[in-house]
Amino acid sequence: SASADQGLPARINGPHARLYDAWSRVHAPTMPELGTRLTTADVLQLTAPTDGYLCPLSANRYNIRFNSFKVRDFDSNATLFEVSAPPADDDTIIPDDLTPEEEDQIRSIRYQFPANILSLKRIGTTLEFSVGPEALPTFRMIERHYFRERLVRSYDFDFGFCIPNSTNTWEAIYDVPAIDASMREEMISCPYETTSDSFYFVNDELVMHNKAAYSYYSAA
């Protein structure tokens, strides 16, 4: 916790404590006041992964649910990864006071990709998601990618308007920046040290924050 002479609270209790700590560890110089709504401009300034999540699970008041996700080589259309979520249980209520380990089980994923994905020029992703009874005036995703806690790339996608109670498909194209041979070998030899933070905004309000870690294996 920060000392009082830094102009920050010496201790924070209650449901905002972990969120404040997650932000402060990577962004202390321009940290917003406690309770201030984080915006797209805020997360675009992040230069390292957050230590935790910057919004509670309850921030997803629009009941956005990710149903399936596919990653492919855009040029050859070869599928590299595909996953589908189990059927939704509308009666399930997830509390905000989860342990960090429990929260990671819900909000993070580990990917294993063939190493040649690092040499691809473009990657295509297909995300199917559903929304609840309230419309999304705008829906935007910002994704920050890191290697060994250093920012290596950033992506910004705007899906736009989503009608209530709809199921939608979000197609995204990632231009993969060239990676020099030495860094490529480091990324292969250091599994899960390549990470990302994905931030989802509705009307510039952070409603979801998920994490991913990546491992790359050499094909036999």
Side-chain angles (χ1 to χ4, degrees):
S1 58
S3 60
D5 62 0
Q6 291 176 289
L8 303 172
R11 184 176 62 187
I12 301 170
N13 296 315
H16 292 292
R18 276 192 295 150
L19 307 182
Y20 185 87
D21 184 61
W23 178 270
S24 65
R25 287 175 183 267
V26 295
H27 215 259
T30 55
M31 191 189 315
E33 294 180 4
L34 183 62
T36 299
R37 189 180 77 172
L38 297 176
T39 67
T40 53
D42 292 322
V43 301
L44 284 169
Q45 295 180 58
L46 296 173
T47 57
T50 64
D51 185 9
Y53 301 91
L54 298 187
C55 66
L57 288 164
S58 59
N60 182 16
R61 59 188 177 86
Y62 297 92
N63 197 25
I64 301 166
R65 184 176 188 273
F66 297 144
N67 302 320
S68 65
F69 182 61
K70 181 171 74 172
V71 181
R72 71 187 190 281
D73 175 355
F74 180 77
D75 295 306
S76 71
N77 208 35
T79 297
L80 304 170
F81 177 87
E82 190 167 13
V83 65
S84 296
D89 183 352
D90 294 334
D91 295 328
T92 300
I93 299 176
I94 301 173
D96 278 334
D97 58 346
L98 298 173
T99 66
E101 292 75 18
E102 291 171 332
E103 196 166 24
D104 272 338
Q105 290 179 4
I106 297 171
R107 306 180 73 170
S108 68
I109 187 171
R110 286 192 166 197
Y111 292 108
Q112 291 183 320
F113 287 130
N116 66 351
I117 195 173
L118 297 172
S119 302
L120 299 179
K121 294 181 178 179
R122 291 181 294 179
I123 294 172
T125 62
T126 304
L127 173 65
E128 182 188 280
F129 67 96
S130 56
V131 301
E134 188 173 348
L136 309 188
T138 64
F139 189 32
R140 179 177 174 185
M141 179 188 76
I142 295 174
E143 197 166 81
R144 309 283 274 180
H145 287 251
Y146 308 92
F147 177 59
R148 290 184 168 175
E149 303 198 351
R150 179 173 63 88
L151 182 67
V152 293
R153 61 181 73 110
S154 182
Y155 299 101
D156 192 340
F157 299 103
D158 191 348
F159 185 81
F161 175 81
C162 301
I163 65 174
N165 298 310
S166 61
T167 298
N168 307 272
T169 300
W170 190 339
E171 297 274 354
I173 309 300
Y174 294 74
D175 289 317
V176 182
I179 300 173
D180 63 58
S182 61
M183 185 174 180
R184 182 178 181 276
E185 290 306 312
E186 279 191 88
M187 295 173 77
I188 295 170
S189 62
C190 301
Y192 304 117
E193 291 191 42
T194 304
T195 61
S196 65
D197 281 301
S198 298
F199 304 96
Y200 300 88
F201 290 85
V202 175
N203 271 6
D204 209 31
E205 175 187 355
L206 182 63
V207 297
M208 301 175 75
H209 175 195
N210 297 327
K211 289 178 171 288
Y214 306 84
S215 173
Y216 305 98
Y217 60 89
S218 298

